[in-house]
Amino acid sequence: MIDLKEVVKIYQTDEVETFALNKLSLKIDQGEFTSIMGPSGCGKSTLLNIIGLIDMPTEGTYQFDGKIVNQFGEKQKADVRKENIGFVFQNFNLLDELPVYDNVELPLIYTSLSAKERKEKVLNVLSKLDIIHRKKHLPKQLSGGQQQRVAIARAIVNHPKILLADEPTGNLDSENGKEVMKILTDLNEEGTTIVMVTHSARDANYGSKIIHLFDGKMITENILKNLNYV
Amino acid sequence: MFKNYLKVAFTNLWNHKVFSFINILGLTVGMAACFLILLFVQDELSYDQYHEKADRLYRVFVEYKNQEGEFVGGVITPYILGPTLASVFEGEVERVIRIDGPFSYQIEKGDKKFPQEGLALADADVFDAFSFKLIAGDPKTALVEPFTMVIDKTIAEKFFGKEDPIGESLLIEEEFEVKITGIIDEIPENSHAHFHGFVSMASGEQIYSERVKTQWGEGSQSTYLVLPKGANAEKFEAKLPDFVENHTFGEGASAFVRYRLQKVTDIHLHSHLRGELEANGDIDYIYIFSGVALVIMLIACINYMNLSTARSSERAKEVGLRKVVGAYRSQIITQFLSESILLTLIAFILAILCAEIALPVFNEIAQKELEINYLENFFVVTVFLGIAIVIGIVAGSYPAFFLSSFQPVKVLKGSKGSSGGKSVVLRKVLVILQFAISITLIISTIVISEQLNYLRNKKLGINTDHIVISNFQDTTLVNKFPVLKRELLKNPDIKSITATNKRMTRNLSSNLGYKIEGAEPNPQGQDNYTITTVTSDHDFFKTYEAEFVMGRDFDETIPSDAREGFIFNESAIKLLGLEDPIGKEVESATFDMEIMDFVPKKGKIIGVVKDFHFESLDYTISPVGFHISDNWLNWMSIKLAGNNIPETVQYIESTIKSFAPTRPFNYTFLDEDINQLYQGQERVMIIFRYFAGLAIIIACLGIFGLSSFTAERKTKEIGIRKVLGASTSGVTILLTREFIKLVVVAAVIGWPIAYYFMDSWLTDFNYRIDIGFGAFILATFVAIFIAVFTVSSQAIKAALTNPVKALRYE
């Protein structure tokens, strides 16, 4: 489903070139739960953004669902995103001005669904994640765990094939973190492909595959053991 | 989708009250101002458009070559011009209409007796050419017979109440009995002349002297033409020089006299001829006001752009998120545009309400009777709604394109997105633009009021204080004038009295031929000159305290003065090229009211008077010759001492009444007359000042909002500075300085623009001020003061914040 070949990402500031990803190749199949780990600045988020088509590789090819997406225009990428991909962020990124219901509805706004269909989907996902009683509340009236549940609800409301989570538990206490991981595992069991960036080895272990990044490169388990990194 | 946009838009407006308030207020005030200006402009442009034949209705005006070789245009044409045109150009003109007036006549019916202004003599076809609405009577025949009259509703009600006036009669000037044959509705406000009644021109045929009826140098008629459908006015006009040669003054005359056509619909805004029936508007002011409206809108739009992009960091997350979930850039643009359009529509509704509220005041200032009739003005309202939407799009487009360009990767990670280096520069440019406009407006306001003050205070060259002007109205009183004068002078509060043929401040129109001994030949190589003539009694110059540069004033003790004394002004002497004018022989003419004809008058120059303004300052001083007449007198000027003015006026009235018991006493104070001359310009000035003020207020609203955002953005910087020991005043200055810099740059841009516009505005004046440097400095300081005043409250607030708070927040 996701096939990255020798992907390079270079960030260029005035005089310095930084390799965020260095000839990285990665395959993720449908239904997998992949955890990406690594120290700060190793390129985890960059990788996730490239997978989510909100950033583009400098070199290398990226095939999504069998199509090479490197040359896609803004519109095509937006189409791929809205049909296939859901995003969950560490800092939730809920729109503070809108109540829970509207936040969750947001991705559906840009589809051709009717108002009735949208309502049905939103209510469904809200009850699934057990936050339907708070649908009229504003994000700031919710606890962190509830906010992240809203964010997940928003990410999955349109039934994406793949859910990208960038340190979803990073801003949560362990209790709420556990709950979020439980939700992700359940979703994965229902067939959603999940790619998650995390700092936490415990969270990473929920995944069926763990990828370690170091300086923009993937490192095998063995090398890791030798480095005493894990 | 759209519902969601609206919801987000409303939530946004609601959650950012200061931002919304500033924007909506700015746009509301801007649009209300625009709306009023639009109504005003539409009204000005609508003058005389209501005539069915407006597209082929023309006024014939005359141009005479003056001694300087320039053609000077006037409205007054000879009585015989109309019929001659009709017969010479039979088939080429559809109608020729002469209108003589407006005059003020005394009308009476039984015991009711009123002076009535706005009366005129008119040819029978007047209702065919002009679409004046007849309520009663037959438009085709109403004015065919001599001594028939059509009156307007107001006169009808005044004299006849509810009774039907048709067939009744009125007595005019105690002499002519006229039969009422029709009633017209009041002539619409948007007409170049407002008549209240028409007497048939056929009556004129019986009243006018043979001279008036036959001479090309006579008459006081305005001549109008209706050309046939499809006729070309320019081609017709091209035939008029031949007409002048063959049918009027004879061979060679077309070099000195030209008849020309102007569209009646052009009169109000484009015509500034001598003898205009009423004070006209000016197309320049239409341009100026439209420009001001545009500028006000521009400033309000800039506010929106600036404030929207300034708070872009707040909305960066939203944009990023929407993109992440699959929104196209176009959809985000649409969203921001719908937000700005929503904002302008709210402002639009409020603006209409504001305009309604402000309309009476505006009407008062503009001397208009504008109203917003939503059905009748449907067009204007629709256009305005369209403008509102366009403004929404224009104001919203920059923020929309700017915000929608945010990359989600960049804005979703950090706690706050960047507010962009480019947008900061653009914001500065826009603020500079706003202030450049404001400074231009302030300078213009100062220059315009200086010019008007100058005109008002410029010495006419004579003393016009405490002078009462009244007209004789009939020859009986003229004949009794010497006795009346003696009687009036018995009152110690009356200093002096004089009588003249022309009214002070009004146009001088009597041009007579002069042959003067020792004068240089005129530009045509002949020895005769045409010079404007004023006749008076002996006391004219004494009453007006005119200064003599040579010779002496008329003297009652020298009997020959009345017979043969001539006095000229400096301009006349200059025109004649006389080195030593006193004692030179003069051959000219005077008018004898007894025989209603000109008679030759010969004499000598006894004095030269310093140039003074007889007419308004709109005209340069023309050469004038003065001589004494005992009956070519129409106006009395009575100089009061200045004490007990009401009692003195009362005394004048009762004294005149004792000489002419039936004559109504009309009078004006000359000072008021003079003020009235500048009332039009004064009004324009007031309107301009109001709208310039509005523009500046809106600009201030903008920088007020902007400075609060700047202060917010700089919270961290301020915190660090304060931790390092900066004082509150130091921080305030830091924040304010940025805006002062912008104002100074704006001033540098605004100065030449203001100079250019004001200099070209002033070229229209014969007497104008020089634009001083003071206005520029003053305007700049005003702008800086306003900017500092607006910004400093925000700056002080920011500077007073506890630094710990500010730093923790980051």
Side-chain angles (χ1 to χ4, degrees), chain B residues 683-738:
Chain B
R683 275 202 294 274
V684 168
M685 175 61 211
I686 294 170
I687 297 173
F688 189 81
R689 207 181 295 161
Y690 272 109
F691 286 121
L694 280 182
I696 293 159
I697 289 171
I698 299 172
C700 284
L701 275 179
I703 62 158
F704 176 78
L706 210 52
S707 62
S708 66
F709 282 114
T710 313
E712 212 177 281
R713 213 175 54 234
K714 292 206 167 174
T715 321
K716 190 177 166 190
E717 185 190 330
I718 294 166
I720 294 170
R721 280 176 190 272
K722 287 190 80 175
V723 167
L724 295 177
S727 64
T728 305
S729 61
V731 172
T732 310
I733 290 168
L734 174 86
L735 287 173
T736 316
R737 198 173 54 193
E738 196 181 326

Side-chain angles (χ1 to χ4, degrees), chain B residues 744-764:
Chain B
V744 171
V745 175
V748 172
I749 298 169
W751 285 7
I753 299 172
Y755 184 84
Y756 170 78
F757 279 118
M758 281 301 103
D759 196 53
S760 51
W761 179 70
L762 285 170
T763 49
D764 286 347

Side-chain angles (χ1 to χ4, degrees), chain B residues 458-479:
Chain B
K458 184 179 183 323
K459 292 274 173 286
L460 293 173
I462 45 178
N463 190 343
T464 56
D465 293 345
H466 311 306
I467 288 183
V468 173
I469 306 264
S470 182
N471 68 337
F472 285 113
Q473 295 186 352
D474 53 47
T475 44
T476 5
L477 198 58
V478 176
N479 294 335

